[in-house]
Amino acid sequence: MKPASLALSAAAALAVLCVVREASAQTPPTPVEGTPAAPPAQAAAPKPPVPAVSFGRKNELAISSDAGLLIANTTTQGFHGSTTTITVLPSVDYFLVDHFSIGGFVGLNYTRREGGHTTQFLTGPRVGYDIPVGRYLSVWPKLGLSVSSTSQSVDIVDLTTNTTSKQSTSHTNMAVNVFVPVLVHPVEHFFVGFGPALDADITGDTKTTTISGRLTIGGYLGF
């Protein structure tokens, strides 16, 4: 055989060997009979969301209601005593940036004390800042300014005739509203919380300051 033919045959054999080795590398080996097949590779499971961190992100809209049966300590121009208050305060808050919210609320406060009762309608804006403190907990302090219309009914006792009559008054006030609830986030898009609240009149002839504990419950949507 001529040297040229010998070199050509060697090159052809080397090319065939390379093709066979490449095909062997890409084709998985056939399992031996009786050997268990290897389980298919599984993608890593996504990490579950952290509810407290998911709340308060930019462009989220939170809808809530601060409501409940409250036992409050109230002082009204010298009056001091325990009262029972029912509060309904639906509100909407929007997070302009992460954790910082602006919103508004409307509400009804009904207070019953010995010798009379008070009914108050209020509305106003507020701002807040949510602070995550764990996987399921956050603190959401909120500061608001409200205008309220209040009507009061007081029992007047005439000792000479031993009769009772009602005296009614009404007034409009502006007040500062502070609420600092601790929120529990059991799942995404839902929260429930409880915390101290302060409502203090800053205008009007009859100024009332109320310190109470308040319940809140709500949910939120992201956009």
Side-chain angles (χ1 to χ4, degrees):
M1 182 178 293
K2 295 182 179 181
S5 300
L6 183 61
L8 183 61
S9 299
L14 182 60
V16 171
L17 179 61
C18 291
V19 171
V20 171
R21 290 186 62 182
E22 181 69 18
S24 299
Q26 296 180 357
T27 304
T30 303
V32 180
E33 186 177 354
T35 303
Q42 296 182 352
K47 295 182 178 181
V50 180
V53 176
S54 299
F55 177 68
R57 292 176 177 172
K58 182 180 178 180
N59 295 333
E60 282 184 350
L61 184 70
I63 302 173
S64 60
S65 179
D66 306 336
L69 177 65
L70 311 177
I71 304 299
N73 184 15
T74 302
T75 57
T76 304
Q77 289 189 334
F79 174 82
H80 180 83
S82 296
T83 64
T84 301
T85 302
I86 298 175
T87 300
V88 179
L89 196 69
S91 59
V92 176
D93 297 275
Y94 180 75
F95 287 88
L96 285 177
V97 296
D98 287 351
H99 306 297
F100 178 75
S101 64
I102 62 171
F105 57 91
V106 295
L108 166 67
N109 287 323
Y110 176 80
T111 302
R112 180 72 185 181
R113 62 171 64 91
E114 183 178 357
H117 66 270
T118 302
T119 303
Q120 180 187 60
F121 296 94
L122 68 157
T123 185
R126 70 182 183 185
V127 296
Y129 192 86
D130 180 70
I131 307 170
V133 294
R135 184 177 181 84
Y136 299 103
L137 295 177
S138 71
V139 181
W140 190 14
K142 288 170 279 188
L143 173 65
L145 188 66
S146 64
V147 176
S148 62
S149 176
T150 306
S151 60
Q152 294 178 317
S153 178
V154 180
D155 295 337
I156 305 296
V157 179
D158 189 336
L159 298 179
T160 58
T161 60
N162 198 24
T163 58
T164 302
S165 61
K166 292 186 178 295
Q167 179 180 353
S168 299
T169 60
S170 62
H171 56 271
T172 300
N173 283 15
M174 183 175 290
V176 173
N177 315 105
V178 181
F179 184 33
V180 189
V182 177
L183 304 182
V184 179
H185 305 265
V187 295
E188 278 195 297
H189 305 295
F190 175 78
F191 59 85
V192 61
F194 186 84
L198 168 69
D199 301 287
D201 291 338
I202 56 177
T203 64
D205 297 331
T206 303
K207 294 183 176 63
T208 300
T209 300
T210 301
I211 300 174
S212 62
R214 186 173 294 163
L215 174 71
T216 183
I217 184 170
Y220 58 97
L221 301 171
F223 294 94

